[in-house]
């Protein structure tokens, strides 16, 4: 205890003694037993009260023996099962856990990993992806407060994530322990297939195959593509140690509508150990829909090229740029885009109205708003000749079609003439609102007027090309903008009557990929209904099951998980109204973990060198354990910690104070002094 605290306690005792003395003994002529009892009670009550205020503490040092952590990071992926190393891995884990000396020296903790890091002692080897880098990163974050050693028990075969060879740990040593056969066998592998998701009926679609070979001797093989076990493409392939890879281009016919399934194969070598990576299944959806779009303008502008590129990203759509004055047949197009119309567009508007055609109107600083206000009755703008910059604000309640938010609110502003827009129709729904001079408004920036007969879209601002450029700067890709604009055009070009129950899903999924189906449900006024009760029934040739849709971000979604390969049909029903929609999809056989034929010792060796440790093999487990036991830097460390605790807990002092005051009061009452 500090000297100052001792002096304060002595001073408190002196003050309490003086207070009691002056109250009961000073100038007192009768000093009987009662006086001394009251004197004592008052002394203790005042002294305890002062002790509560001083709160004296004493310090003491506690000692704790802290052992370093030995983290057993075990590979729980499918490749361990494929290479038949499940028993070897479990035996290695057991040898660590059953070693008494190791348990005295370390705190053993086991984590498993495949696609994600998991805690626990149970290994089932069912993960269809392996991300070693993410597992190392997660373990280091969990153990950064203690000295730790990581024993990475794996075959070193990674299928996703960053390259783990270059993982650099600042505080933790990593010892790779390789399991599986490290012998390098001659092997052919069909690495990747490149193809589009869609093809047009009676056209040919390209398939690009990447084939690699690991081995010393020259080999000859044959690459084929089959449809229902019928060979529709074949090519001879020659590979050797120097020319170890080849790219094959194939053109396949799209002869039938719907989802077509194919199988690409490389004829295996006689000595090839793993043939699972010689085969890949794939599918393509053949459609018979081509959308012809006309972009009509009276002037040149960078927006015209940006719109054309965005629209034609989807090969189903073709966009023609025409100028006022050229010979036009509007009925040849499913959608007409009118760019900054002026009085020269009079005949165009009249023909669109006559044909009841859909169109997209884009305005800007060169737009003749007097003409626009007079030629149609849906929107009226009270404009001035002053130009105005307009930023975008997403309307969270827009549900006519689903799209990923391209974050246009962070993009450069569009530009139009200043003025207030009045909507003469309640069927116009805004996708984005206007933000003007940092003030969010309910004025539409992008909007759609839709009914069962006709759809009209509006973009109130020019310089759309800046949004496409900003999308590339943001994501290093035009994909976000092109997808959004493509879905806008797709919605406007559609002549189908709007359905109250709509579905959005892929026509095929790969094995072990989550099959996700999205749905929207609208009330009779075509307003999104968040209270719908949607149930899906899924069937294949053998089984059927049901699942419930959940509401997620203004849409309904059901995740069917990873389904076995096969063809599935489904029906979605809304319980209250009885409305239903049906569809089908196919699950394609694919497991990337089956492509490995041996352990990747080179990657594990690189990790060890980068960590300043060494690599061990499964027959060197005891050697690894001995290394850990003999290393002085892994010995437990005794740590001291100084703690200051109250000399007497305050609630005891408070209880004692209340007790003494109560005794004094009752004693006075008993003696008739109060």
């Amino acid at each position: 205890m500090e000297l100052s605290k001792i002096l304060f306690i002595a001073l408190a005792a002196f003050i309490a003694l003086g207070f009691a003395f002056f109250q009961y003994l000073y100038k007192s002529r009768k000093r009987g037993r009662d006086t001394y009892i009251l004197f004592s009670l008052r002394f203790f009550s005042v002294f305890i009260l002062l002790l509560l205020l001083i709160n004296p503490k004493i310090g003491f040092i506690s000692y704790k023996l802290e052992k370093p952590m030995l983290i057993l990071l075990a590979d729980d992926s499918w490749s361990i099962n494929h290479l038949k190393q499940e028993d070897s891995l479990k035996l290695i884990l057991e040898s660590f856990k059953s070693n008494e000396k190791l348990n005295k020296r370390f705190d053993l903790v086991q984590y498993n990993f495949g696609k994600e890091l998991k805690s626990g002692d149970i290994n089932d080897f069912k993960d269809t992806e392996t991300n070693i880098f993410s597992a190392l990163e997660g373990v280091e974050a969990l153990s950064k407060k203690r000295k730790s050693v990581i024993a990475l028990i794996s075959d070193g075969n990674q299928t996703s994530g960053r390259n783990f060879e270059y993982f650099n740990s600042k505080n933790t040593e990593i010892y790779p322990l390789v399991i599986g056969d490290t012998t390098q066998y001659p092997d052919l592998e069909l690495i990747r297939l490149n193809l589009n998701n869609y093809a047009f009926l009676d056209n040919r679609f390209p398939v690009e195959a990447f084939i690699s070979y690991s081995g010393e001797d020259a080999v000859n093989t044959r690459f084929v593509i089959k449809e229902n076990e019928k060979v529709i493409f074949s090519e001879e392939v020659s590979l050797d140690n120097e020319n170890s890879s080849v790219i094959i281009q194939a053109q396949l016919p799209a002869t039938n509508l719907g989802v077509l399934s194919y199988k690409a194969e490389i004829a295996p070598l006689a000595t090839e150990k793993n043939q699972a990576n010689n085969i890949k299944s794939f599918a393509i959806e053949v459609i018979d829909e081509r959308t012809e779009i006309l972009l009509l303008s009276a002037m040149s502008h960078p927006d015209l090229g940006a719109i054309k590129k965005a629209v034609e990203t989807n090969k189903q759509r073709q966009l023609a740029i025409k100028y006022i004055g050229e010979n036009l047949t509007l009925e040849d197009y499913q959608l007409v885009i009118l760019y900054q119309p002026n009085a020269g567009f009079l005949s165009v508007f009249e023909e669109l109205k006559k044909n009841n055609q859909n169109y997209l109107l884009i305005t800007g600083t060169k737009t003749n708003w007097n003409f626009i206000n007079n030629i149609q009755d849906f929107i009226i703008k009270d404009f001035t000749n002053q130009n105005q910059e307009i930023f975008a604000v997403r309307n969270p309640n827009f549900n006519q079609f689903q799209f990923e938010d391209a974050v246009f609110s962070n993009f450069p502003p569009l530009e139009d003439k200043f003025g207030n827009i009045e909507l003469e129709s309640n069927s116009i729904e805004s996708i984005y609102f206007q933000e003007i001079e940092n003030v969010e408004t309910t004025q539409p920036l992008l909007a759609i007027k839709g009914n069962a007969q006709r759809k009209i879209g509006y973009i109130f601002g020019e310089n759309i090309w800046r949004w496409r450029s900003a999308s590339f700067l943001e994501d290093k890709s035009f994909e976000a903008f092109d997808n959004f604009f493509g879905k806008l055009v797709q919605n406007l070009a559609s002549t189908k009557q709007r359905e109250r129950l709509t579905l959005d899903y892929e026509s095929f999924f790969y094995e072990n990929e989550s099959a996700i189906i999205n749905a929207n449900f609208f009330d009779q006024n075509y307003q999104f209904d968040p209270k719908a009760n949607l149930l899906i029934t899924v069937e294949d040739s053998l089984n059927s099951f049901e699942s419930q849709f959940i509401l997620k971000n203004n849409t309904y979604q059901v995740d069917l998980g990873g389904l076995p390969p096969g063809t599935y049909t489904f029906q979605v029903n809304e319980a209250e109204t009885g409305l239903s929609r049906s569809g089908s999809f196919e699950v394609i056989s694919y497991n990337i973990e089956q492509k490995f034929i041996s352990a990747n010792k080179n990657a594990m060796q690189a990790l060890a060198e980068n960590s300043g440790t060494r690599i061990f093999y499964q027959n060197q487990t005891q050697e690894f354990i001995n290394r850990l036991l003999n290393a002085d830097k892994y010995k437990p460390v005794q740590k001291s910690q100084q703690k200051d605790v109250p000399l007497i807990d305050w609630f005891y002092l408070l209880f004692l104070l209340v007790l003494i005051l109560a005794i004094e009061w009752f004693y006075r009452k008993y003696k008739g002094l109060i």
Side-chain angles (χ1 to χ4, degrees), residues 337-376:
I337 302 176
L338 307 175
Y339 189 80
Q340 301 210 47
N342 54 29
F345 283 71
L346 176 61
S347 60
V348 174
F349 273 94
E350 290 176 347
E351 188 172 351
L352 289 173
K353 185 176 182 179
K354 176 183 176 181
N355 298 336
N356 202 29
Q357 281 183 265
N358 300 347
Y359 66 86
L360 170 62
L361 173 63
I362 302 176
T363 66
T365 58
K366 301 296 190 296
T367 301
N368 186 336
W369 272 103
N370 281 324
F371 170 72
I372 296 296
N373 290 340
N374 292 327
I375 199 65
Q376 48 82 48

Side-chain angles (χ1 to χ4, degrees), residues 203-429:
N203 284 357
R204 301 184 74 84
F205 62 92
V207 177
E208 190 175 52
F210 293 78
I211 300 172
S212 72
Y213 167 66
S214 58
E216 299 296 330
D217 301 328
V219 296
N220 296 313
T221 185
R222 186 166 174 256
F223 172 75
V224 299
I225 297 178
K226 298 179 180 179
E227 182 183 13
N228 297 325
E229 299 304 320
K230 177 184 177 183
V231 176
I232 59 174
F233 177 86
S234 68
E235 185 172 317
E236 298 297 325
V237 178
S238 298
L239 298 166
D240 54 38
N241 188 31
E242 294 183 358
N243 301 311
S244 60
S245 63
V246 66
I247 301 175
I248 296 177
Q249 307 281 353
Q251 295 285 335
L252 304 182
T255 54
N256 298 306
L257 289 174
V259 179
L260 304 181
S261 298
Y262 300 90
K263 184 184 294 183
E265 298 182 13
I266 312 169
L269 305 174
T271 58
E272 193 168 359
K273 186 175 181 180
N274 180 27
Q275 300 179 12
N277 58 3
N278 292 35
I279 302 173
K280 280 186 184 295
S281 297
F282 65 96
I284 193 165
E285 184 175 7
V286 179
I287 56 177
D288 190 18
E289 294 183 8
R290 184 179 293 272
T291 304
E292 298 290 341
I293 300 168
L294 173 64
L295 175 53
L296 189 59
S297 176
M299 61 180 182
S300 297
H301 195 281
D303 282 352
L304 305 184
I307 292 172
K308 181 176 176 63
K309 289 180 179 179
V311 168
E312 292 186 346
T313 299
N314 188 325
K315 303 303 180 183
Q316 301 177 60
R317 296 188 287 263
Q318 297 293 322
L319 184 142
I321 299 177
K322 303 285 185 180
Y323 295 93
I324 289 296
E326 297 185 35
N327 292 327
L328 301 171
T329 305
L330 297 185
E331 289 181 298
D332 293 341
Y333 302 96
Q334 285 77 52
L335 177 67
V336 179
I337 302 176
L338 307 175
Y339 189 80
Q340 301 210 47
N342 54 29
F345 283 71
L346 176 61
S347 60
V348 174
F349 273 94
E350 290 176 347
E351 188 172 351
L352 289 173
K353 185 176 182 179
K354 176 183 176 181
N355 298 336
N356 202 29
Q357 281 183 265
N358 300 347
Y359 66 86
L360 170 62
L361 173 63
I362 302 176
T363 66
T365 58
K366 301 296 190 296
T367 301
N368 186 336
W369 272 103
N370 281 324
F371 170 72
I372 296 296
N373 290 340
N374 292 327
I375 199 65
Q376 48 82 48
D377 302 324
F378 309 126
I379 56 169
I380 302 294
K381 184 166 185 174
D382 183 14
F383 68 96
T384 68
N385 288 324
Q386 179 182 353
N387 295 340
Q388 176 70 56
E389 289 188 338
I390 307 169
F391 291 89
V393 179
R394 173 80 180 268
N395 176 11
N397 297 318
F398 179 80
N399 292 293
Q400 285 199 31
F401 60 89
Q402 301 299 317
F403 63 93
E404 295 181 4
D405 192 351
V407 200
F408 294 144
S409 56
N410 296 331
F411 284 3
L414 301 184
E415 195 171 0
D416 202 353
K417 289 185 177 180
F418 180 81
N420 185 59
I421 296 175
E422 295 182 8
L423 304 179
E424 302 298 323
S425 172
N426 57 10
S427 62
I428 296 178
E429 186 176 359

Side-chain angles (χ1 to χ4, degrees), residues 427-480:
S427 62
I428 296 178
E429 186 176 359
S430 295
I431 307 174
Y432 281 89
F433 296 119
Q434 296 186 14
E435 179 184 318
I436 302 174
E437 296 181 352
N438 295 323
V439 177
E440 295 184 6
T441 72
T442 56
Q443 295 280 296
L445 178 60
L446 280 79
I448 292 178
K449 176 190 180 299
N451 53 42
Q453 290 77 35
R454 193 184 190 195
K455 292 180 182 178
I456 302 174
Y458 301 94
I459 300 179
F460 298 108
E462 63 177 280
N463 296 328
I464 299 170
W465 67 269
R466 293 179 178 174
W467 278 8
R468 192 169 189 265
S469 299
S471 174
F472 183 84
L473 293 175
E474 184 83 17
D475 303 323
K476 306 303 179 188
S477 168
F478 296 113
E479 184 176 356

Side-chain angles (χ1 to χ4, degrees), residues 528-567:
F528 181 76
D529 186 354
K531 299 180 180 179
N533 183 11
L534 298 180
L535 185 70
I536 184 171
T537 303
V538 183
E539 296 182 350
D540 63 2
S541 58
L542 299 176
N543 302 300
S544 67
F545 63 91
E546 293 183 346
S547 188
Q548 188 79 34
F549 280 83
I550 61 172
L551 185 61
K552 184 177 181 181
N553 297 330
N554 285 330
T555 188
Y556 291 95
Q557 185 178 98
V558 62
D559 187 345
L560 303 176
L563 298 173
T567 301

Side-chain angles (χ1 to χ4, degrees), residues 587-628:
V587 177
I588 308 299
S589 177
Y590 180 70
N591 190 341
I592 193 172
E593 293 283 327
Q594 292 183 347
K595 74 175 187 177
F596 303 110
I597 60 173
S598 60
N600 189 352
K601 69 173 183 179
N602 293 332
M604 298 286 268
Q605 177 67 47
L607 175 64
E609 293 174 356
N610 195 46
S611 302
T613 60
R614 58 159 290 191
I615 190 173
F616 290 90
Y617 299 94
Q618 62 189 65
N619 59 349
Q620 296 177 316
T621 304
Q622 189 57 48
E623 182 182 343
F624 178 33
I625 292 174
N626 293 337
R627 180 185 177 94
L628 295 176

